[in-house]
Amino acid sequence: MSHPLPVVVDWTTPVITSQTELTTHLWTAPPLRRGSAMHDKAFAALRDLKVDHARFLPWWSSPKLSVPELDPPADGRTSWDFGRLDPFVDDFLDAAQGRPVVMNFATIPTWMFETPEPVRYADDPAAIHWDYEQGTEFRDPSLTEVADHFERIGRWYLGGGFTDQFGVRHESGRRHRFAYWEVLCEPDIGHRLSPEVYTRLYDEIVARLRPLDPDMKFIGLSLAMVETNPEYFWHFLDPANHAAGIPLDAVSYHFYATPEILNPVAGEGNQPFDRWRASYFAQADGFLRQVRLIDSIRRRLSPGTKTFLNEIGTFNPDVMNPEPAVPDDYWALAAAVVAYLWSELTALGIDLVGVAEFNGYPGMIPGVSLLDWETGAPNARYHVLKLLLDNFGVGDVLCETTVGGPMSPVTRIHARGIRTAAGQRKVLLINKFAEPVRIGLAGGGTAAVIDTRTGPPVTRPVTGEAIELGPFATVVVTLRETED
């Protein structure tokens, strides 16, 4: 039997005091509509997390659920209709139970862009429209039309209603308050807005929305492909490129690790599952290097701006497949990647980490889901998110932690000793491999364990002897108070 890898925490040497909030997001997924088999379970699961700054995202792949102005105004009439969107908003806010939220009404109606012909959408609200987001040039280059659109959405939810393009009043009776409004989502793909155009549009929208709630803050960028054009950060974060008085409260960007499809042209499919692990963790480490670079740009140009990494996760390779091959062990592996990223991003001082997302399903990026899309039951990704939320938070102190000795190379596990704000000593342990591994950790206590074999967390005693971490395990060990 192999010797256990020693994990040693120096509880007297702090690395950083955490300022990182952990949260999630929910989008207008058709399976989450009222009356669906998943609806009640999904919103109950969101409520049980008790997170601040949960994010709501009406996404363009389901335009009939997410776009309240689907058709251009014509003949004295508009197409404004919030009948499908409002129930999502209400159920999301109900699950938030008064906690601060982030709202991102992200989808620009495609008719506001120049396209060779009008973009059609199906009558079925559940239809997936991967081709809805078309066009790269606004039909109104002044951006007034699109800014007007978002102002009216803002007035609907924040100001009780709005007057449309033909002077008709639409009453909502709503006067919600949102902590943040995020301006668009992933403008670098789809419509491929340049940094300059996005910055102009951000300024126009923020100028319209600020008077509706002077306390509301704003998030910019929300980028998908951070590695392709760093100019987004250099341009947007420079206050000189914004109109006077426009705030730069926070910027956001996303990360999803994805195994390669081997050779789709030759008919080859996904990598074997036993190779996904290496792809995920290698890409995660590459992303962490990017975060360090991006944060240096932020500190130089706009040090008061917060960083929200509000979509992190993993994709299964065939994200659009209506019959995806997602191995059972994938969920614990995906959860371990998220836990690892959260630990490292907290050590870097990132302000918010958002685990994506509540509901993926076949044909619609199933590997990001926190819930089983057939039963609504939480999967390992949800369980690990809740495990981290229940054990760690802002104000915790991350302590110097070594695995295998100070001269040991990078090992198969990740370990992080954390002294909580309440004074408890906890150790986060992550097994990056499918094979069990034994570790040695001084002191006794209890371990909450999630791996490929557990389902929900399993609690086990820790005696000071070797602990076995199961395949792709995420474990939180709480040490006894009497140990010093």
Side-chain angles (χ1 to χ4, degrees):
M1 183 178 293
S2 62
H3 294 291
L5 283 169
V7 173
V8 178
V9 181
D10 181 353
W11 298 104
T12 65
T13 304
V15 173
I16 192 172
T17 298
S18 172
Q19 64 185 34
T20 304
E21 287 191 62
L22 182 61
T23 190
T24 187
H25 88 262
L26 180 143
W27 67 287
T28 47
L32 299 184
R33 286 180 294 174
R34 290 179 180 176
S36 72
M38 287 189 62
H39 176 275
D40 292 352
K41 292 179 181 178
F43 284 97
L46 177 59
R47 187 179 303 111
D48 288 347
L49 290 177
K50 299 179 175 61
V51 292
D52 287 346
H53 296 113
R55 176 172 171 255
F56 178 68
L57 179 67
W59 185 235
W60 54 265
S61 62
S62 299
K64 291 202 77 170
L65 300 179
S66 59
V67 183
E69 192 183 14
L70 272 170
D71 301 306
D75 301 324
R77 300 184 64 181
T78 66
S79 62
W80 284 103
D81 183 356
F82 289 84
R84 296 186 183 94
L85 183 56
D86 279 352
F88 276 99
V89 172
D90 291 343
D91 294 342
F92 173 77
L93 294 177
D94 180 67
Q97 296 183 309
R99 296 181 179 87
V101 297
V102 175
M103 304 300 279
N104 185 344
F105 299 94
T107 306
I108 302 173
T110 296
W111 57 264
M112 292 187 178
F113 288 85
E114 298 287 355
T115 57
E117 57 186 39
V119 176
R120 306 297 180 186
Y121 52 87
D123 288 335
D124 181 5
I128 296 173
H129 291 75
W130 285 111
D131 60 347
Y132 178 75
E133 196 174 49
Q134 296 185 34
T136 58
E137 301 292 332
F138 288 103
R139 73 175 197 172
D140 173 15
S142 76
L143 307 182
T144 299
E145 184 173 64
V146 67
D148 285 348
H149 172 81
F150 284 107
E151 179 181 355
R152 289 188 174 103
I153 293 176
R155 289 188 178 279
W156 179 264
Y157 288 111
L158 302 171
F162 63 86
T163 301
D164 70 18
Q165 294 92 320
F166 296 112
V168 177
R169 181 70 183 171
H170 299 255
E171 297 287 348
S172 70
R174 295 166 175 268
R175 297 190 182 273
H176 301 304
R177 289 295 174 261
F178 307 140
Y180 286 90
W181 186 296
E182 188 174 32
V183 178
L184 306 188
C185 182
E186 301 184 346
D188 50 328
I189 61 175
H191 297 305
R192 300 193 296 278
L193 304 186
S194 70
E196 294 79 11
V197 169
Y198 175 81
T199 299
R200 284 178 52 217
L201 183 56
Y202 172 90
D203 286 7
E204 290 284 344
I205 292 172
V206 171
R208 305 293 191 89
L209 295 177
R210 286 187 81 191
L212 305 181
D213 180 2
D215 294 328
M216 186 168 65
K217 297 182 179 180
F218 296 90
I219 305 168
L221 293 184
S222 191
L223 298 179
M225 308 291 285
V226 297
E227 70 275 15
T228 59
N229 191 354
E231 187 61 27
Y232 280 102
F233 297 99
W234 283 110
H235 188 85
F236 182 83
L237 284 168
D238 187 343
N241 294 324
H242 291 268
I246 296 296
L248 300 178
D249 297 312
V251 293
S252 59
Y253 53 101
H254 308 154
F255 170 74
Y256 294 96
T258 311
E260 294 180 358
I261 296 178
L262 296 178
N263 189 343
V265 176
E268 297 180 18
N270 297 340
Q271 290 182 353
F273 178 65
D274 60 9
R275 293 169 59 182
W276 294 14
R277 180 212 70 78
S279 293
Y280 287 148
F281 282 105
Q283 291 174 38
D285 286 333
F287 174 67
L288 291 168
R289 289 190 287 272
Q290 292 175 328
V291 171
R292 292 183 179 92
L293 175 60
I294 292 166
D295 204 51
S296 70
I297 298 172
R298 180 196 62 83
R299 290 195 305 271
R300 177 169 182 167
L301 294 176
S302 187
T305 300
K306 293 184 176 183
T307 298
F308 289 0
L309 303 185
N310 53 15
E311 290 187 33
I312 65 166
T314 54
F315 287 168
N316 58 300
D318 46 355
V319 296
M320 301 181 193
N321 190 343
E323 298 182 359
V326 184
D328 290 341
D329 289 355
Y330 164 82
W331 302 105
L333 166 59
V337 175
V338 163
Y340 172 68
L341 281 167
W342 168 82
S343 176
E344 292 292 293
L345 292 169
T346 300
L348 292 177
I350 296 303
D351 295 286
L352 180 143
V353 172
V355 178
E357 62 195 13
F358 246 74
N359 188 219
Y361 55 95
M364 193 65 218
I365 319 180
V368 302
S369 191
L370 293 169
L371 307 177
D372 184 299
W373 52 77
E374 293 181 350
T375 67
N379 61 32
R381 298 185 76 247
Y382 177 95
H383 291 310
V384 164
L385 172 58
K386 193 169 191 311
L387 180 72
L388 297 175
L389 286 164
D390 288 348
N391 284 277
F392 305 114
V394 173
D396 294 350
V397 177
L398 281 60
C399 297
E400 188 70 41
T401 307
T402 57
V403 179
M407 302 302 292
S408 176
V410 175
T411 68
R412 63 188 306 135
I413 72 166
H414 172 77
R416 178 81 67 190
I418 300 175
R419 188 183 293 275
T420 71
Q424 290 182 299
R425 292 184 302 174
K426 297 175 182 277
V427 183
L428 173 67
L429 301 167
I430 300 167
N431 181 5
K432 299 180 181 180
F433 282 72
E435 297 76 28
V437 60
R438 296 169 69 240
I439 67 104
L441 180 66
T446 59
V449 178
I450 298 169
D451 61 27
T452 60
R453 304 169 295 192
T454 63
V458 172
T459 301
R460 296 171 182 161
V462 175
T463 63
E465 300 177 357
I467 305 170
E468 181 177 283
L469 304 183
F472 304 132
T474 301
V475 177
V476 174
V477 177
T478 302
L479 297 172
R480 292 195 197 96
E481 294 300 313
T482 54
E483 301 291 338
D484 197 357

